Amino acid sequence: MPMHARVTQFQIRPGKLEEFAAALDSMIPLMHQQKGFKSLIVLRGDALPGANPQATVITTWDSLDSLRASEENLYFYRAMARVLACSDGFPAIHEHEVLVSEHSPAA
């Protein structure tokens, strides 16, 4: 069964990048409690001069069912509320099937 990913793109309000990252970091223990959760990656995009920073949040799940079930969980809405407080507007959210993935085993 292929893994699936949720890709969420945020526009960060000025001066809120560290708070945004801290909000996501604080949610990691809750993410690990979600059935099917595999990984979290947060990427910072360089904005144009004078523009707000951008961030892309990628979560991977063992199945599309697990990804969608996570959206019905209170953790998802708590996490979204905390990061939205640091964001301009509502983020673009997309679901993708993971075609290729490789992670180094834990040392």
Side-chain angles (χ1 to χ4, degrees):
M1 180 179 297
M3 286 195 321
H4 283 76
R6 178 185 299 117
V7 179
T8 310
Q9 297 174 310
F10 293 91
Q11 298 292 322
I12 311 301
R13 291 183 11 219
K16 294 289 187 175
L17 187 61
E18 281 100 26
E19 185 178 336
F20 175 85
L24 286 170
D25 191 57
S26 72
M27 299 310 293
I28 291 173
L30 293 172
M31 290 179 189
H32 281 286
Q33 295 175 13
Q34 303 309 302
K35 181 179 184 249
F37 173 76
K38 294 294 184 185
S39 67
L40 165 72
I41 300 169
V42 181
L43 308 172
R44 177 183 174 177
D46 287 333
L48 297 172
N52 294 349
Q54 301 171 8
T56 301
V57 178
I58 304 167
T59 55
T60 59
W61 303 85
D62 67 359
S63 69
L64 183 58
D65 288 340
S66 293
L67 182 152
R68 291 186 175 160
S70 73
E71 296 169 355
E72 298 171 8
N73 192 295
L74 180 60
Y75 112 88
F76 179 79
Y77 293 100
R78 288 194 337 213
M80 189 61 76
R82 291 188 67 196
V83 296
L84 283 176
C86 302
S87 304
D88 273 339
F90 200 79
I93 303 172
H94 303 280
E95 296 175 353
H96 299 274
E97 181 178 325
V98 176
L99 295 178
V100 177
S101 176
E102 177 63 31
H103 300 275
S104 295

